[in-house]
Amino acid sequence: MAPVHNWQLGREMAYPYAPAYPERQFAFVFNINRCIACQSCTMACKSTWTFSKGQEHMWWANVETKPYGGYPQSWDVKILEQLERANPGGQVWRGSPGNDPQAPYGRFEGQTIFEAVERLPEPGSSRVLGYLPADDEWNSPNIWEDNPVGQRGAPRTYDAEGVSLPTHKTWFFYLARICNHCSYPACLAACPRGAIYKRPEDGIVLIDQEQCRGYRKCVEACPYKKSIYRGNTRTSEKCVACYPRIEGRDPESNGQPLETRCMAACIGQIRMQGLVKMSRDGTWAEDRYNPLYYLVHVAKVALPLYPQFGTEPNGYYIPPRWVPVDYLHQMFGPGVEQALERYARPDRELLAVLQLFRRSNRIIFRYELQEGPKLYETTIAGHPFTVYNDTVIAYGRDGDEIFRTQVDEPLHVRPPQHQNSI
Ligand code: SF4
Ligand code: SF4
């Protein structure tokens, strides 16, 4: 095991390989508040990559209803329980979120999946703490769809009196998931064949199908369960981050990097994907006007999914406003209160950056703001709040303008002669 710095945990941690960081890192932000579980993303991925014989149970992109749903079933509860058993009562964070880029969420004092494995009765038998899901746990990707948590002690029914913010008494939310193309991938760490690699140019994690012998060590190790075994080829497969699109090799891209298929298909406009600049020490290089850098490191509204697992996932989520904070804290770490507060009352820049989601399929490398006139004043949770019609301009890799859009969306009224266009 080599010591590596995990900035999401605010500390060094043990990992089987010495640190090596890509020039840029594939990363994404999903705004849970906007997801409508239409599953367009899921089907876009399925129809592109996993429509063949032997892949019937394989959903590289999925959307599950939390807290009960999961693909495979109970994946997160199971690994959380394993960690708790390995380190009873010790899976805690210390300190509080601040401005230290080496520890923006405080310090995680518990054990990661790479560390907790040493506490197993037979240390050395595995490199990563994990488990292999049973075959039937992969069968129902959308199990418990739309099932809410009831009020304490009540059955799982909707609240007849209705609900209001900040926390709903009955709640659920949709968690959209793909492989996180982690900075310290558990799948890669566990593979005895060395068949899994992380690309130096964009940090995408791939399985070399020629090298893989289907031992399923990656399936067992990935805490997010995003490496999946295929019986008819006897190999494991996983999300490839639509790498031909990222490389600008899609016929529609004109050589420019395009976002993945699941991002491009998103009806709810919850998804934004990018390629963030990395420093030599594995932290994100300062890139103030990159929208992902802004959302994660400046506005701090987007948080990593289960950072305590230790893989440094590159998927970030704007947490849902109506869900009890202790549940969100477990899922996204200590930055939750700050993120919710910021999202509920966005400042001028955040409101403008939120308009960048899904106006184009091209990857945005930089944005610029142009201030516009005041639209109106109001109050949110007793605080004054002013909305301006600012313009936000998105630029591509080569500095060309991709699009510009405004905070106030233009209203289009269908002319009477086209009232029914169907
Ligand atoms: S999410 Fe899982 S499969 Fe994807 S890179 Fe991380 S450990 Fe590997
Ligand atoms: S396409 Fe977008 S809105 Fe629809 S389920 Fe997927 S993430 Fe949610």
Side-chain angles (χ1 to χ4, degrees), residues 179-182 185-188 205 222-227 238 311:
C179 164
N180 295 293
H181 296 277
C182 306
C187 54
L188 184 157
V205 177
C222 171
Y224 304 95
K225 295 295 169 244
K226 281 297 175 192
S227 183
K238 63 178 285 303
T311 64

Side-chain angles (χ1 to χ4, degrees), residues 35-41 63 176 265-268 270-271:
C35 181
I36 53 174
C38 61
Q39 305 284 359
S40 306
C41 49
V63 181
C266 179
I267 305 284
I270 87 154
R271 295 171 173 240

